[in-house]
Amino acid sequence: MANVIMDETIEYVGILAKLELSREEKEEAKKDMGRMLDYIDKLNELDTSNVEPMSHVFSMNNVFRQDVVTNGDDREDMLKNAPEQKEGAFKVPRTVE
């Protein structure tokens, strides 16, 4: 494990994450963080010179669907569920004076 995490770093991360860690949890977190950094170092060894930069792992083309009305104007059916209605709309109690 080439990346050695200092106690101060774990304390600082704990403060940022609002975590209270026991001594054992801090030691385990140091090991985990070291392993993560070692893995990142291993990834940095890869030759990515011929890899095109991308914003997403999967190619995404316009994922928006057409805005098509499918249920039409069912106002009468919807108002059947209203406890009270007024002039074709739901009537609700006044909340602002």
Side-chain angles (χ1 to χ4, degrees):
M1 192 158 78
N3 291 295
V4 177
I5 308 301
M6 299 176 61
D7 292 334
E8 295 82 14
T9 304
I10 294 298
E11 288 288 331
Y12 182 66
V13 170
I15 291 169
L16 290 176
K18 298 184 186 319
L19 295 174
E20 292 183 25
L21 301 173
S22 67
R23 179 176 302 281
E24 295 82 25
E25 290 172 325
K26 288 178 185 175
E27 289 302 315
E28 191 61 33
K30 282 172 46 175
K31 290 177 190 172
D32 287 345
M33 198 176 292
R35 284 193 293 263
M36 284 185 262
L37 293 175
D38 288 342
Y39 186 70
I40 291 170
D41 287 344
K42 188 146 209 70
L43 290 176
N44 285 334
E45 295 173 8
L46 296 173
D47 178 23
T48 58
S49 59
N50 294 327
V51 177
E52 203 174 309
M54 58 183 146
S55 62
H56 200 276
V57 178
F58 303 107
S59 61
M60 297 183 84
N61 298 328
N62 191 1
V63 294
F64 300 110
R65 63 174 172 77
Q66 290 294 98
D67 190 14
V68 178
V69 177
T70 57
N71 61 348
D73 184 14
D74 294 336
R75 179 181 298 195
E76 294 303 318
D77 289 336
M78 288 186 277
L79 287 174
K80 288 178 187 175
N81 295 320
E84 292 185 55
Q85 52 180 294
K86 181 179 179 183
E87 299 175 9
F90 285 90
K91 184 177 178 185
V92 296
R94 172 178 251 156
T95 57
V96 179
E97 298 283 331

